[in-house]
Amino acid sequence: MCGIVGLFLKVKALEPKLGAMLTDMLITMSDRGPDSAGIAVYGEDHEGRAKLTLQAADPALFNGLAGEIEDECGVAVKLRTIDTHAVLDLPEDKLAQVRGTVKYLRPDVRVMSAGEVIEIYKEVGLPGEVAKRFDIPELTGSHGIGHTRMATESAVTTLGAHPFSTGADQCLVHNGSLSNHNSLRRKLAREGVTVETENDTEVAAAYLTWKMQEGATLGEALEAGIDDLDGFYTFVVGTKDGFGVVRDPIACKPAVMAETDQYVAFGSEYRALVNLPGIEDAKVWEPEPATVYFWKH
């Protein structure tokens, strides 16, 4: 049993409140997952720039990293440290090079996300604790997703927490369990797609990334997943400009959605949505089984 939330804003006026709204939604889901929590936020797009969100058990590993990257790559970067995470701001065309350099310079530092606009913060602990550590309520952006976890398939660790990001500006959160994740993991490995943890959710995220690398849209990848991903699940997926939801054909995991002219919201339970502005006038419904829902800016 895990808790999921998602929020896709249709109006810029709400963007300064995105982090606060997501935090409030996720805190209401705390009792669905006491082990770890995380939030992905899609912020402002600065043309020609990209971001790497990093995590380290010892934040001292971030000391001097920006200067060492500049020496190795010959490119100016900015590094902002937030507790056990840090965000590197760098030229978009240097993203792959800098990511490889970070791995070389700091083998114990992990990449949480990479892309033009995405930032992911996740740690062991309840949503309220994680949000406070990373000052999530102050984050701004156009959309985001969050997760609080009750571990069933793998260890309670930072790397095992959701969201999982396996492609540029992509991430996924999951409530449920996949029964064929080990065979899919082997298939993805043969296709050159790396899965770093034992978590079945990362396999689902990597599967979608692989499908999109093969030319599928997110909607097409989610449609294919209905046939290829065996188990019980509700997925909420984020991309640079969109937000998608899908449930398995049996749809035994709870889910509710709400839409107004200002936003689209998702929660594992309705109580996650009750404090959203204008919720009393929203269209509220339960997503249908084996049906892909997607919104795009």
Side-chain angles (χ1 to χ4, degrees):
M1 183 173 73
C2 298
I4 303 174
V5 299
L7 189 58
F8 177 88
L9 301 180
K10 299 180 180 180
V11 294
K12 285 192 171 293
L14 287 178
E15 290 186 5
K17 301 178 181 180
L18 178 69
M21 294 165 73
L22 274 172
T23 297
D24 180 74
M25 294 169 70
L26 194 57
I27 286 175
T28 65
M29 295 288 96
S30 295
D31 57 351
R32 295 190 61 86
D35 300 328
S36 57
I39 285 180
V41 169
Y42 290 83
E44 186 177 357
D45 187 3
H46 297 281
E47 187 174 353
R49 306 296 295 180
K51 293 188 279 190
L52 277 175
T53 307
L54 310 175
Q55 186 273 343
D58 180 5
L61 290 172
F62 299 133
N63 295 342
L65 180 58
E68 293 177 51
I69 291 171
E70 291 178 4
D71 291 341
E72 288 284 335
C73 301
V75 59
V77 300
K78 298 177 183 178
L79 187 143
R80 172 169 49 96
T81 301
I82 316 99
D83 201 88
T84 58
H85 287 46
V87 178
L88 272 173
D89 179 281
L90 61 145
E92 182 185 355
D93 61 353
K94 300 294 184 179
L95 183 58
Q97 181 186 8
V98 171
R99 183 169 186 163
T101 300
V102 169
K103 185 175 182 179
Y104 164 70
L105 293 172
R106 299 287 194 278
D108 293 329
V109 168
R110 302 298 183 186
V111 175
M112 297 288 98
S113 64
E116 296 176 40
V117 294
I118 190 174
E119 295 180 17
I120 288 181
Y121 300 92
K122 59 182 185 179
E123 272 294 357
V124 173
L126 290 167
E129 299 167 357
V130 173
K132 185 176 181 179
R133 289 177 67 174
F134 299 111
D135 207 14
I136 301 298
E138 299 302 314
L139 294 179
T140 65
S142 59
H143 57 297
I145 62 178
H147 186 273
T148 186
R149 183 179 183 223
M150 179 178 287
T152 58
E153 294 290 335
S154 57
V156 179
T157 64
T158 302
L159 291 183
H162 304 205
F164 281 96
S165 181
T166 55
D169 286 311
Q170 297 172 20
C171 67
L172 179 145
V173 294
H174 170 207
N175 179 22
S177 178
L178 299 180
S179 58
N180 64 335
H181 62 95
N182 285 324
S183 60
L184 280 173
R185 190 188 309 269
R186 293 189 291 270
K187 178 178 180 179
L188 290 169
R190 292 193 295 270
E191 297 292 339
V193 179
T194 301
V195 177
E196 296 184 353
T197 73
E198 296 301 314
N199 195 295
D200 57 336
T201 303
E202 188 182 10
V203 175
Y207 169 86
L208 296 178
T209 297
W210 169 61
K211 281 291 186 181
M212 286 186 277
Q213 289 173 348
E214 294 291 304
T217 64
L218 174 60
E220 291 167 343
L222 289 169
E223 291 278 2
I226 293 171
D227 293 325
D228 293 343
L229 300 173
D230 186 20
F232 304 110
Y233 56 82
T234 295
F235 295 139
V236 179
V237 183
T239 67
K240 179 182 176 181
D241 56 5
F243 162 91
V245 173
V246 68
R247 303 170 80 192
D248 68 82
I250 297 176
C252 65
K253 295 299 179 181
V256 62
M257 302 197 69
E259 183 170 12
T260 73
D261 57 0
Q262 294 186 308
Y263 59 80
V264 179
F266 174 94
S268 291
E269 300 178 35
Y270 178 76
R271 60 192 168 110
L273 314 179
V274 295
N275 292 327
L276 293 174
I279 189 64
E280 63 276 3
D281 298 318
K283 173 190 174 184
V284 179
W285 76 99
E286 181 180 347
E288 294 291 333
T291 302
V292 174
Y293 299 84
F294 187 70
W295 290 263
K296 185 176 180 180
H297 286 122

